[in-house]
Amino acid sequence: ELKVEQNPLFLSMQEGKNYTIYCNYSTTSDRLYWYRQDPGKSLESLFVLLSNGAVKQEGRLMASLDTKARLSTLHITAAVHDLSATYFCAVDMGHDKIIFGKGTRLHILP
Amino acid sequence: EPEVTQTPSHQVTQMGQEVILRCVPISNHLYFYWYRQILGQKVEFLVSFYNNEISEKSEIFDDQFSVERPDGSNFTLKIRSTKLEDSAMYFCASSAFSGQSIVSNQPQHFGDGTRLSIL
């Protein structure tokens, strides 16, 4: 069974700082998703990463995928309070089955 | 922008009762999914559905669960005899392409969820 591990699970950081969330997974996959969830809300798609070496950026967020290392990262640059949310990585294990990590609860202090 | 809609937003049901959660996927999407999220925990895959058949299901999706696409627009999740541990947020999602499609860089689109509370 595929395991998806995120770390850290909780992150409190100051505005203006940079940080990285890590997502490791245990079996081969060529497709990985990052989602954002605000408290009590649905999941908002941030990135779809399709291949080894894929890098995508949107605003202060940048995601990358290393399929050989089975590792994805979500990097936050110069954090702002609006980025406070829970961030999930999710790995496609085939046959339309997606396994989510436990999520990283990000709290950005003003 | 088209979106996935779910009803009701909150359902309260007595233990042992049947419950049906409803979803209207995005209209040109072909692949449909149900997930659940117990409060404060991770999102768990339940089932995927394509061409009027289940494509994949998880261990959670036992005989108490069933899915149906009764018409061209709705996609439902039925729990036959609810248990206390079924209390969770249930999310429906849809996508235009299979996750296996090499041409797809599209994610699954999620609805706002139905909060199911079992008393």
Side-chain angles (χ1 to χ4, degrees):
Chain A
E1 175 78 7
L2 175 67
K3 287 191 168 71
V4 181
E5 293 186 356
Q6 282 183 241
N7 73 83
L9 297 181
F10 182 78
L11 177 57
S12 182
M13 56 193 287
Q14 294 284 340
E15 273 193 331
K17 299 288 188 188
N18 304 333
Y19 211 82
T20 301
I21 300 170
Y22 297 89
C23 175
N24 288 92
Y25 54 98
S26 60
T27 63
T28 303
S29 174
D30 289 327
R31 187 179 300 258
L32 187 140
Y33 306 89
W34 283 96
Y35 285 90
R36 169 183 171 144
Q37 187 180 38
D38 291 296
K41 302 290 186 183
S42 186
L43 292 136
E44 174 194 352
S45 174
L46 297 173
F47 300 107
V48 181
L49 301 169
L50 293 179
S51 59
N52 190 43
V55 176
K56 289 196 175 176
Q57 182 159 6
E58 181 75 34
R60 298 175 190 274
L61 301 178
M62 183 172 71
S64 67
L65 177 62
D66 180 343
T67 57
K68 293 190 175 113
R70 297 177 189 166
L71 170 68
S72 179
T73 61
L74 180 67
H75 186 74
I76 302 144
T77 302
V80 293
H81 182 66
D82 286 352
L83 291 179
S84 296
T86 299
Y87 293 85
F88 291 95
C89 67
V91 177
D92 191 325
M93 61 180 290
H95 305 289
D96 298 310
K97 183 173 180 179
I98 291 180
I99 304 298
F100 280 75
K102 288 185 177 178
T104 296
R105 187 178 298 179
L106 178 62
H107 184 207
I108 297 171
L109 305 168
Chain B
E1 185 176 318
E3 52 183 34
V4 177
T5 56
Q6 290 186 242
T7 55
S9 56
H10 190 191
Q11 173 83 45
V12 182
T13 301
Q14 291 286 336
M15 187 171 62
Q17 296 295 306
E18 175 183 284
V19 67
I20 297 176
L21 309 182
R22 300 181 194 281
C23 169
V24 178
I26 294 173
S27 63
N28 63 343
H29 284 186
L30 301 175
Y31 297 85
F32 314 115
Y33 313 86
W34 283 101
Y35 295 84
R36 78 172 186 192
Q37 185 179 33
I38 295 170
L39 185 64
Q41 298 189 25
K42 70 174 181 179
V43 178
E44 297 175 293
F45 171 84
L46 292 178
V47 66
S48 58
F49 190 87
Y50 168 69
N51 200 25
N52 281 320
E53 286 185 350
I54 290 174
S55 306
E56 188 75 31
K57 60 183 181 179
S58 71
E59 305 76 28
I60 302 167
F61 194 88
D62 62 20
D63 292 344
Q64 294 298 315
F65 291 86
S66 62
V67 288
E68 195 177 33
R69 188 154 161 82
D71 54 42
S73 59
N74 289 286
F75 179 51
T76 61
L77 174 70
K78 182 193 288 187
I79 309 173
R80 286 192 188 80
S81 177
T82 49
K83 308 184 191 72
L84 292 175
E85 54 265 37
D86 293 329
S87 294
M89 182 73 93
Y90 287 80
F91 291 105
C92 173
S94 70
S95 62
F97 296 96
S98 165
Q100 298 310 295
S101 169
I102 59 171
V103 301
S104 173
N105 63 352
Q106 297 300 308
Q108 296 178 8
H109 296 263
F110 283 75
D112 285 341
T114 293
R115 183 172 298 281
L116 178 63
S117 300
I118 307 300
L119 304 179

